[in-house]
């Protein structure tokens, strides 16, 4: 099966042109996935820096206390308090 052209009817049967239906959906999904990947990478880089900053300025005890309060008493990660 060949890929439909932009002005061909959409193969999903909606009656719309491919460019106004599934092509647009496919494109927005790809952009959304890329955005999520960038956000996760940024989060992975930023959170350790924020924790390091908090430990330096407020002390490990304060960071541990804040973690326990924010996470409703969940276990504190070993690398959290410096």
């Amino acid at each position: 099966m060949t890929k439909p052209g932009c002005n061909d009817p959409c193969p999903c049967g909606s009656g719309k042109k491919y460019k106004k239906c599934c092509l647009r959906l496919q494109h927005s999904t790809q952009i959304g996935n890329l955005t999520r990947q960038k956000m996760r990478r940024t989060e992975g880089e930023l959170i350790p820096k924020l924790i390091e900053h908090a430990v330096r300025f407020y002390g490990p005890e304060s960071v541990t206390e804040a973690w326990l309060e924010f996470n409703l008493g969940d276990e504190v990660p070993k690398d959290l308090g410096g």
Side-chain angles (χ1 to χ4, degrees):
M1 184 172 164
T2 62
K3 183 178 173 184
C6 290
N7 290 319
D8 292 338
C10 191
C12 76
S14 67
K16 297 179 180 180
K17 290 184 178 183
Y18 180 63
K19 69 181 177 186
K20 297 281 187 175
C21 190
C22 289
L23 179 64
R24 180 178 287 172
L25 178 64
Q26 179 183 11
H27 182 70
S28 67
T29 301
Q30 290 172 347
I31 290 172
N33 288 339
L34 182 59
T35 301
R36 277 189 287 283
Q37 288 173 354
K38 287 180 180 179
M39 292 295 291
R40 291 293 172 221
R41 185 178 62 237
T42 301
E43 177 184 40
E45 294 169 359
L46 182 61
I47 289 176
K49 290 178 182 181
L50 289 171
I51 291 172
E52 180 183 326
H53 175 81
V55 168
R56 190 174 335 120
F57 284 93
Y58 302 110
E61 298 83 17
S62 296
V63 173
T64 299
E65 184 179 333
W67 175 272
L68 291 171
E69 185 174 332
F70 184 79
N71 290 290
L72 303 174
D74 283 354
E75 185 176 324
V76 179
K78 296 194 183 327
D79 60 346
L80 182 67

